[in-house]
Amino acid sequence: EPEVTQTPSHQVTQMGQEVILRCVPISNHLYFYWYRQILGQKVEFLVSFYNNEISEKSEIFDDQFSVERPDGSNFTLKIRSTKLEDSAMYFCASWGATEAFFGQGTRLTVV
Amino acid sequence: SQQGEEDPQALSIQEGENATMNCSYKTSINNLQWYRQNSGRGLVHLILIRSNEREKHSGRLRVTLDTSKKSSSLLITASRAADTASYFCATNAGGTSYGKLTFGQGTILTVHP
């Protein structure tokens, strides 16, 4: 069964450093998303991406964040200067005909 | 406004019992979905119910949707220890928010063997 894959599964970074989280969505999907889940809290929408541009973003998705589909298969989330409060699980998803398929997530720990 | 608020926040039952989780939302939706998350893992899609549907079944899962009350329930029948997980409802508004999901806080279900 096709699946969304995310790498790395866990990343530890120093505050102020840049991180890039990577995702390979399901190949024939056209809509892609990033969500985050702070420990013990609900899953929050960050951004949606369609036709090589952002279609919607939340207020969480400020200038520190950017997304890219550099090569037609990978979908990346970059955080330019990480803060302690960016520590969370980040999920990538791609949308099929009726449902979202989520990756296993990247646990980002900012120290 | 808060979308997809579940109750109870935590539910503890014995294997074989039924588990019912409820979800309320505040704005109009295109569909509502239920997801499961094992501790520290990814989200697994369980079932989707459209705004024009009232009830849907999938195996041991039964979902209802009452758009007049803006609420949904997920029933897991004959629960198993392996059903222990967090369960989230997520609403999709459709339209220009195609595919975007708004999640609730979730219900932590513990099924004791």
Side-chain angles (χ1 to χ4, degrees):
Chain A
E1 186 174 311
E3 60 179 11
V4 176
T5 57
Q6 289 186 244
T7 55
S9 56
H10 190 191
Q11 176 141 9
V12 181
T13 189
Q14 296 269 349
M15 193 169 55
Q17 295 294 306
E18 174 183 288
V19 294
I20 297 176
L21 310 183
R22 301 179 193 280
C23 168
V24 179
I26 294 172
S27 60
N28 61 344
H29 288 180
L30 301 177
Y31 292 83
F32 313 111
Y33 307 84
W34 284 100
Y35 293 82
R36 80 170 185 193
Q37 185 181 33
I38 295 170
L39 187 63
Q41 298 187 23
K42 64 181 178 182
V43 178
E44 300 172 290
F45 168 80
L46 290 178
V47 66
S48 57
F49 192 85
Y50 169 72
N51 201 25
N52 284 323
E53 61 183 28
I54 291 173
S55 52
E56 189 172 352
K57 60 183 181 180
S58 72
E59 56 193 32
I60 302 169
F61 194 89
D62 61 22
D63 292 343
Q64 298 277 51
F65 293 88
S66 62
V67 288
E68 205 176 36
R69 196 147 192 252
D71 56 14
S73 61
N74 289 288
F75 179 49
T76 62
L77 174 69
K78 182 192 291 186
I79 309 174
R80 286 191 185 81
S81 178
T82 50
K83 310 185 202 67
L84 294 176
E85 54 264 37
D86 293 327
S87 294
M89 193 78 149
Y90 288 82
F91 293 105
C92 171
S94 64
W95 185 266
T98 57
E99 67 182 86
F101 291 80
F102 282 82
Q104 289 295 315
T106 293
R107 181 169 299 285
L108 176 66
T109 303
V110 182
V111 297
Chain B
S1 63
Q2 295 279 350
Q3 284 283 78
E5 299 294 327
E6 287 98 330
D7 75 87
Q9 292 186 336
L11 181 60
S12 182
I13 59 174
Q14 294 295 123
E15 213 166 26
E17 293 180 340
N18 295 342
T20 299
M21 289 160 267
N22 302 299
C23 166
S24 62
Y25 57 92
K26 293 193 175 176
T27 61
S28 61
I29 61 170
N30 177 271
N31 61 71
L32 184 145
Q33 308 184 31
W34 284 89
Y35 285 82
R36 167 196 166 120
Q37 184 182 35
N38 284 47
S39 180
R41 302 294 300 278
L43 294 155
V44 175
H45 181 263
L46 295 176
I47 194 164
L48 177 151
I49 187 163
R50 298 185 195 285
S51 59
N52 62 353
E53 297 176 309
R54 292 297 166 257
E55 188 171 312
K56 208 158 182 184
H57 296 255
S58 176
R60 293 185 297 115
L61 304 180
R62 174 178 167 252
V63 170
T64 62
L65 178 65
D66 186 335
T67 52
S68 66
K69 294 181 180 176
K70 291 187 167 58
S71 67
S72 173
S73 67
L74 171 68
L75 168 67
I76 304 174
T77 60
S79 63
R80 305 166 183 164
D83 294 329
T84 295
S86 292
Y87 291 82
F88 296 90
C89 71
T91 55
N92 173 240
T96 56
S97 295
Y98 187 84
K100 172 191 167 188
L101 296 172
T102 302
F103 284 83
Q105 295 283 354
T107 293
I108 301 171
L109 173 66
T110 305
V111 182
H112 300 281

